[in-house]
Amino acid sequence: MASPATATASLCCRLVRLPLLVPYARRRSPLSTRCSAAQSPDAVDREYADLNLRPLYPNRGHHLRIRQHVNPLSSSFSEPTEPPEWKEVFEDPLLPLMVDIGCGSGRFLIWLAKNSGERRNYLGLEIRQKLVERSQFWVTELGLRNVYFMFANATVSFNQIASSYPGPLSLVSILCPDPHFKKRHHKRRVLQSQLVDSITNNLCLGGRVLLQSDVLEVAADMRERFDEYSDVFEHVDCIDKDLRCDNEGWLLDNPMGIRTEREVHAELEGATIYRRMYQKTRDVSH
């Protein structure tokens, strides 16, 4: 017969082997996580299949090893990026311009540049240089003259870049930016007051701003910053009744005709995408 001490030790060993019981709503099935992780790259490839980008970067491969999180407050990102010679990067630099802030891999903009029916130029601003280099390589290989990518910290560079463009700035998008969840890191989020002011001042009358995130807190923070400019902007559902919103004022549908990579990943994981789109209806009065 086992001694009381031996029995207690055996019971403890069995107890520590039991799985941690966490409420279902706060944990994800390991199988589900593995499946969504495995499916995400394939889902992105299907979304952008017509671009056929996979064979266009043979020397470094389709996927890059990059840092997912960058501190934009680092001294190395504190200097504004000089604007390019617009007539050298765009075939027609007088066309309306769309700027995608935090453009990531660039597939989203490249798809628009190739497939959108609108006569427009597309500019991607990205703080991770390796992504910019690959995106611009793809643009060159595809022979596109209406899209260009720049390595830049948009918070400090947007005004200088946008104000130098000879045509109208018609659309600015900030789609699923880095959430920087920790409160002490909120100052690293891309949409700060300085950037909101720069967008507001440079956007043409009738121009639009599209905000999007799969993190409600981040989407609400961006929304609040533009809601403060109600004397300049109106939400598009007040102007275009075809753009429907839910009861909380979030757009129900993607107005761009293509999803970003983060959007593909998030929806595959069952996340909700929160979107707001504003239209500049009055000139800046302050």
Side-chain angles (χ1 to χ4, degrees), residues 185-204:
H185 290 163
H186 284 186
K187 59 183 179 290
R188 297 182 181 180
R189 289 178 176 175
V190 65
L191 193 60
Q192 303 294 332
S193 298
Q194 177 183 353
L195 183 54
V196 177
D197 288 341
S198 296
I199 294 172
T200 304
N201 289 327
N202 286 286
L203 196 68
C204 71

Side-chain angles (χ1 to χ4, degrees), residues 114-126:
K114 186 178 179 183
N115 295 291
S116 175
E118 295 191 50
R119 281 181 49 78
R120 177 186 278 166
N121 289 327
Y122 299 88
L123 177 66
L125 303 181
E126 174 57 48

Side-chain angles (χ1 to χ4, degrees), residues 42-50 111 254 257-260 264:
D42 292 335
V44 169
D45 284 344
R46 287 193 298 271
E47 189 82 6
Y48 297 99
D50 66 316
W111 189 94
N254 181 336
I258 186 73
R259 297 181 295 173
T260 66
V264 172

Side-chain angles (χ1 to χ4, degrees), residues 64 66 77 126-134 151:
L64 294 178
I66 60 167
F77 301 124
E126 174 57 48
I127 203 170
R128 291 166 293 181
Q129 191 164 7
K130 286 183 178 180
L131 288 178
V132 173
E133 291 172 356
R134 186 178 66 175
F151 169 56

Side-chain angles (χ1 to χ4, degrees), residues 119-221:
R119 281 181 49 78
R120 177 186 278 166
N121 289 327
Y122 299 88
L123 177 66
L125 303 181
E126 174 57 48
I127 203 170
R128 291 166 293 181
Q129 191 164 7
K130 286 183 178 180
L131 288 178
V132 173
E133 291 172 356
R134 186 178 66 175
S135 300
Q136 198 54 42
F137 180 90
W138 284 338
V139 168
T140 302
E141 290 296 300
L142 291 171
L144 299 173
R145 291 296 313 280
N146 61 338
V147 58
Y148 185 70
F149 294 91
M150 293 181 64
F151 169 56
N153 179 354
T155 304
V156 300
S157 300
F158 184 89
N159 188 65
Q160 185 167 335
I161 293 170
S163 62
S164 72
Y165 184 71
L169 176 63
S170 62
L171 178 59
V172 176
S173 58
I174 306 176
L175 309 176
C176 299
D178 192 329
H180 292 291
F181 287 109
K182 294 180 180 178
K183 188 172 182 179
R184 69 176 185 273
H185 290 163
H186 284 186
K187 59 183 179 290
R188 297 182 181 180
R189 289 178 176 175
V190 65
L191 193 60
Q192 303 294 332
S193 298
Q194 177 183 353
L195 183 54
V196 177
D197 288 341
S198 296
I199 294 172
T200 304
N201 289 327
N202 286 286
L203 196 68
C204 71
L205 199 61
R208 291 182 171 184
V209 180
L210 175 61
L211 310 173
Q212 175 176 293
S213 179
D214 57 306
V215 180
L216 178 58
E217 179 203 344
V218 174
D221 179 56

Side-chain angles (χ1 to χ4, degrees), residues 46-66:
R46 287 193 298 271
E47 189 82 6
Y48 297 99
D50 66 316
L51 293 180
N52 196 27
L53 296 177
R54 188 177 285 273
L56 292 183
Y57 209 53
N59 295 331
R60 299 186 190 178
H62 187 57
H63 300 287
L64 294 178
R65 293 178 61 87
I66 60 167

Side-chain angles (χ1 to χ4, degrees), residues 89-100:
V89 300
F90 292 134
E91 186 173 44
D92 183 356
L94 296 179
L95 288 177
L97 178 69
M98 172 184 174
V99 179
D100 186 29

